[in-house]
Amino acid sequence: MKYFRIHPDLAMRQRWILGDIRYADNWSFLDPPVERMEPCCYALDLHFDGVAVDFTVAGSASVPIVSARFCDALAGLPEIEEPYTNTVMEPVSIEGASGVAEYFVMIVESKFDCIHGVSSNFIRFAFNDAWRPSLSDENSAAFNLVLDASKIGDKHIFRLMGYPHALIVSEEVKTRLERDGVTGVAFERMLIKGDR
């Protein structure tokens, strides 16, 4: 199976820019605790009014925000359909945006330790790092990420343990999003251990 990192399509001009989710630790959405899965409704501000897209990120933590079209494209996937199974879409109101459709915070709970360390290149925070001592020996940047597919199983949407900013989807998800004309999303093909 092929996998892709998804991120906002920054080549799209005049797209809107969203602020942080209100009254929440936005960084916790990258590694959500169990209680984050409780039903909730969030709110955030529109920082720059522009073209509304189906996939974007909010605030400094880059929390995924998706439209109803994005959600509909994923209908039928176990991660979406089965309650409390890895990916939850919670409603979000976008203050300052008028006439926009329904939007959701995409909370991805699944994390896999599937980065093939020998084939990937990282920069790690040093022990006693002056700027981020709490992140000692964690990845600060990654170049040439290579995944070990044997550790992923049949999951379609997940994050990477040790590099939670990366939101990974399967080729099935990519195909569905492209088929349904989802806007604002870009795909970066991930290398798989053993690929040539």
Side-chain angles (χ1 to χ4, degrees):
M1 187 182 310
K2 294 178 185 172
Y3 293 95
F4 299 84
R5 180 177 180 180
I6 63 171
H7 49 82
D9 181 3
L10 299 179
M12 191 172 181
R13 298 178 141 289
Q14 302 299 316
R15 61 181 292 138
W16 64 356
I17 298 173
L18 305 179
D20 286 326
I21 295 173
R22 294 181 187 170
Y23 314 113
D25 174 7
N26 282 242
W27 294 98
S28 70
F29 287 96
L30 298 182
D31 187 12
V34 174
E35 63 269 13
R36 182 72 65 220
M37 304 306 279
E38 293 294 322
C40 184
C41 185
Y42 296 98
L44 55 82
D45 292 312
L46 181 66
H47 271 310
F48 176 78
D49 195 9
V51 178
V53 292
D54 296 312
F55 176 83
T56 192
V57 293
S60 57
S62 298
V63 178
I65 305 296
V66 300
S67 69
R69 179 190 302 181
F70 187 104
C71 295
D72 292 344
L74 303 183
L77 290 176
E79 286 92 336
I80 304 299
E81 295 299 323
E82 297 172 16
Y84 309 107
T85 309
N86 316 118
T87 303
V88 174
M89 307 295 188
E90 293 292 353
V92 62
S93 63
I94 302 171
E95 305 297 325
S98 58
V100 296
E102 197 173 13
Y103 278 84
F104 302 88
V105 177
M106 182 173 161
I107 303 170
V108 179
E109 187 181 54
S110 291
K111 260 189 338 188
F112 293 106
D113 188 9
C114 61
I115 298 173
H116 192 256
V118 174
S119 305
S120 300
N121 295 321
F122 299 100
I123 296 175
R124 294 187 181 271
F125 286 104
F127 184 74
N128 291 332
D129 184 271
W131 298 102
R132 301 296 299 268
S134 64
L135 297 177
S136 173
D137 203 37
E138 290 188 27
N139 298 330
S140 69
F143 309 95
N144 192 38
L145 277 179
V146 178
L147 303 183
D148 182 348
S150 69
K151 296 181 178 180
I152 299 169
D154 60 352
K155 294 297 183 191
H156 292 283
I157 305 169
F158 58 93
R159 291 192 182 274
L160 301 176
M161 193 171 291
Y163 198 68
H165 280 89
L167 181 55
I168 310 298
V169 299
S170 68
E171 187 172 24
E172 170 73 15
V173 170
K174 178 182 185 285
T175 300
R176 287 171 176 234
L177 296 175
E178 290 175 336
R179 179 193 64 213
D180 287 10
V182 168
T183 61
V185 64
F187 300 93
E188 176 187 343
R189 173 119 189 257
M190 300 299 296
L191 297 173
I192 304 293
K193 180 180 108 177
D195 279 357
R196 294 184 187 263

